[in-house]
Every structure is written in C-alpha cells, then in structure tokens.
Amino acid sequence: MDNTVADQKADRIEEAPHDLHGNSPAAWTAVAIVLVAFTLGAVAMVLGPNWVLFWISVAIAVLGALAGKVLQLLGFGVPTDGDH
C-alpha cells in the first residue's frame, strides 16, 4: 500500500517548514495601510455616505498594496525560494 493518505500527510509534514508565513515588514506595512483605508471607507459610508472620503480610502488601499510590493522588491519581504 504505497502512497496512502497517511503517507501523503507524512510527506507534507517532512517538507521544508514555512516559518515566516508572510510575516515581514512589507506584509505588515501593507496590511496596516489597507486596514486604515478600509476603516476610513467604512466611516465614510456611515457618515452620509461621504463619497469623497470613500474614494480617498480606496486610493489609500491601492497605495497600501503598492507600498507592500515596493517594500518586498526592496528586500523587506519574505525571502523567496525557487520551490514555492
């Protein structure tokens, strides 16, 4: 009985560990900026709706995603290997 479910699970456990799971300055910066943007967008919807503030929050969310990518490219992201 080769390649049973138990063997497959054991193979996955023996693979290289994923210690970081995206835990990097680039990821945390992007998440923090996008979280602020979504909070601001929610406040904008509750207060009216205030469409100017809402679209500003959308722009901030896009900038947060871009900031995370730029920081990753600058070396503040999770190191990549060729296997994943």
Side-chain angles (χ1 to χ4, degrees), residues 49-68:
N50 185 340
W51 290 106
V52 173
L53 188 57
F54 172 78
W55 288 110
I56 290 171
S57 71
V58 170
I60 292 171
V62 171
L63 290 176
L66 289 173

